[in-house]
């Protein structure tokens, strides 16, 4: 599952930086004040509009549908398709830094669904048990015995990037 999620993270990050469709999402991020250093540091990505590109990429990486579905990367409810479509992707990491899920943010009004969509519950990802940003902040929190708690992922990552690496969401 972790290999599938790490492959998806690399795929999404590559598409944000190097695809024509990703350039629109990148422009949106730049307009929100996020720079390339930030995007690279936190491996922000982009899930394309075409609903089977991740599936095809994962197959090329020898990750097949059963694993991808268990990891929350694909949906097979009516037909097989990528779970995240047309969204900016933020990897969700465990305390040691392994990708365990994603939070996808829509950046266009016409994108279906809520503003944020998270990975569904999986063996690795239980939303109520995850402190977003912990992998970046755990050492300083343990040392200083304090933390800043914020609501959203972007706020959390902005503060960590600005040196407040004792922030969680």
């Amino acid at each position: 599952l972790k290999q599938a999620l790490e492959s998806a993270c690399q795929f999404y990050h590559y598409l944000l930086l190097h695809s024509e469709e990703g350039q629109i999402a990148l422009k949106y991020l730049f307009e929100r004040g996020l720079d390339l250093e930030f995007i690279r540091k936190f491996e922000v990505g982009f899930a394309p509009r075409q609903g089977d590109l991740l599936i095809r990429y994962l197959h090329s990486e020898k990750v097949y549908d059963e694993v991808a579905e268990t990891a929350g990367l694909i949906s097979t409810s009516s037909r097989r398709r990528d779970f995240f479509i047309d969204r900016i992707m933020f990897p969700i990491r465990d305390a040691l830094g392994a990708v365990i899920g994603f939070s996808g943010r829509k950046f266009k009004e016409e994108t279906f669904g809520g503003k944020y969509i998270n990975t569904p519950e999986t063996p690795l990802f239980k939303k109520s048990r995850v402190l977003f940003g912990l992998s970046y902040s755990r050492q300083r929190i343990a040392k200083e015995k304090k933390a800043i708690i914020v609501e959203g992922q972007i706020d959390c990552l902005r503060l960590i990037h600005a040196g407040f690496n004792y922030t969680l969401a």
Side-chain angles (χ1 to χ4, degrees), residues 8-9 11-17 19 21-29 32 34 39 43-51 53-54 72-73 81-92 102-120 153-154:
C9 182
F11 176 75
Y12 291 144
H13 186 61
Y14 179 86
L15 286 182
L16 177 65
L17 298 177
S19 73
E21 201 177 351
Q23 296 305 299
I24 299 165
L26 197 57
K27 182 178 182 284
Y28 171 85
L29 291 170
R32 295 280 315 266
L34 305 180
I39 289 163
E43 294 184 284
V44 179
F46 172 70
R49 198 172 321 124
Q50 186 175 338
L53 282 183
L54 177 64
L73 295 169
R81 65 171 181 80
D82 298 349
F83 184 80
F84 295 100
I85 295 173
D86 202 24
R87 291 179 176 273
I88 294 169
M89 302 298 291
F90 295 93
I92 300 170
F102 292 92
S103 184
R105 187 195 196 287
K106 76 177 183 179
F107 62 100
K108 296 184 272 185
E109 279 302 315
E110 63 269 17
T111 300
F112 178 78
K115 185 176 178 180
Y116 282 94
I117 295 177
N118 292 320
T119 296
Q153 291 96 339
I154 292 179

Side-chain angles (χ1 to χ4, degrees), residues 69-143:
E69 186 175 7
T70 302
L73 295 169
I74 68 171
S75 172
T76 58
S77 54
S78 57
R79 65 179 178 85
R80 193 183 65 156
R81 65 171 181 80
D82 298 349
F83 184 80
F84 295 100
I85 295 173
D86 202 24
R87 291 179 176 273
I88 294 169
M89 302 298 291
F90 295 93
I92 300 170
R93 299 178 182 280
D94 66 14
L96 299 178
V99 178
I100 57 170
F102 292 92
S103 184
R105 187 195 196 287
K106 76 177 183 179
F107 62 100
K108 296 184 272 185
E109 279 302 315
E110 63 269 17
T111 300
F112 178 78
K115 185 176 178 180
Y116 282 94
I117 295 177
N118 292 320
T119 296
E121 296 263 320
T122 71
L124 296 176
F125 178 71
K126 308 277 187 236
K127 185 178 178 184
S128 64
R129 296 179 159 238
V130 173
L131 293 170
F132 186 86
L134 185 59
S135 63
Y136 303 104
S137 299
R138 69 184 175 87
Q139 290 179 333
R140 189 162 172 198
I141 290 170
K143 181 181 176 186

